Amino acid sequence: MTIAVIDYGMGNLHSVAKALEHVTHENVIITRDPRRILGATRLVLPGQGAIRDCVGELERTELRGLVDDILTRQAKPLLGICVGQQMLMERSEENGGVDCLGFFHGSVDRFPANMRDDYEQRLKVPHMGWNLVAQHHDHPLWAGIDDHEHFYFVHSYYVNAAEDAQVFGTTQYGKVCAHVAIGRDATFAVQFHPEKSSRAGLRLLENFVTWTP
């Protein structure tokens, strides 16, 4: 049994791998070798930085077609993290507009300027730090995790999924309800960083490595 963290040059690869190693005895590898990716039992698609760079590197490393095929066939569980979630949408408005992988219907939008909380205090963008995640629907990856648990975020753009049935977690930031956990078939993706989210994040990763869609 092998969990492959897909290395296309972007993302917090080693932190994700170390967190996975903490919750499982399965072999965890960081790789861009198509044969090793195809041979793995589970996949993690990370992402960090500008989405144009992430999509561009996925294409430059000739892994985009492979990831598209894996998503289409849904042959094995895949977890998207941070920009790895955003890349699964149809389009992002970052960098003047970027076409993404289109696995989920919906867009990636920028938080509005001059956002304020309920007390009229100005909110910073990027949204950075701990925030509550409301579990919108039940999912095996939520097992053992309390509703409205805290997770760690760093993002200026957020997912706006088109299909409610695919939204499994939301976060309220100002007047924006961000879709921070989405899923379909054998794919689950989160905007927050489970590898930086203490007990709750480790539990989500533990649930992922035992999940049988």
Side-chain angles (χ1 to χ4, degrees):
M1 300 291 187
T2 299
I3 302 169
V5 180
I6 300 174
D7 176 14
Y8 61 98
M10 306 291 290
N12 201 8
L13 306 175
H14 293 283
S15 293
V16 172
K18 287 294 183 184
L20 286 165
E21 289 171 353
H22 185 77
V23 301
T24 183
H25 295 298
E26 291 190 21
N27 186 36
V28 179
I29 61 173
I30 299 171
T31 183
R32 61 179 58 187
D33 183 338
R35 291 172 299 178
R36 300 189 78 188
I37 292 171
L38 287 172
T41 50
R42 298 173 192 277
L43 302 173
V44 177
L45 180 67
Q48 193 166 295
I51 196 165
R52 175 175 291 167
D53 294 338
C54 288
V55 173
E57 285 300 296
L58 197 63
E59 292 175 343
R60 187 189 66 80
T61 54
E62 299 182 351
L63 291 174
R64 175 164 183 168
L66 177 63
V67 171
D68 281 336
D69 182 61
I70 290 168
L71 289 168
T72 299
R73 292 187 295 110
Q74 288 290 282
K76 59 192 73 182
L78 181 145
L79 176 66
I81 296 176
C82 195
V83 180
Q85 181 207 29
Q86 296 180 9
M87 285 199 300
L88 297 176
M89 307 308 294
E90 291 174 300
R91 186 167 175 81
S92 172
E93 65 178 29
E94 188 177 1
N95 302 126
V98 175
D99 289 330
C100 303
L101 302 183
F103 180 71
F104 292 100
H105 295 304
S107 60
V108 182
D109 304 329
R110 182 172 173 80
F111 283 115
N114 301 318
M115 284 202 308
R116 297 184 182 275
D117 63 17
D118 292 339
Y119 302 98
E120 291 303 312
Q121 298 294 312
R122 187 167 180 177
L123 295 171
K124 294 181 179 179
V125 177
H127 170 210
M128 183 165 59
W130 296 85
N131 206 351
L132 300 175
V133 173
Q135 296 175 17
H136 197 58
H137 295 300
D138 289 336
H139 193 281
L141 267 67
W142 290 141
I145 300 173
D146 292 336
D147 194 9
H148 295 94
E149 183 61 88
H150 286 83
F151 290 87
Y152 188 80
F153 292 85
V154 182
H155 62 131
S156 299
Y157 294 80
Y158 67 94
V159 163
N160 185 9
E163 298 182 39
D164 179 80
Q166 297 176 350
V167 177
F168 289 91
T170 61
T171 283
Q172 195 73 30
Y173 194 56
K175 292 181 172 57
V176 171
C177 181
H179 297 162
V180 297
I182 56 177
R184 172 185 154 197
D185 300 326
T187 295
F188 195 82
V190 296
Q191 177 64 64
F192 52 81
H193 288 271
E195 77 280 7
K196 297 179 180 180
S197 295
S198 191
R199 183 202 66 82
L202 290 176
R203 182 55 191 266
L204 186 139
L205 292 177
E206 183 180 357
N207 291 338
F208 172 68
V209 301
T210 59
W211 177 36
T212 304

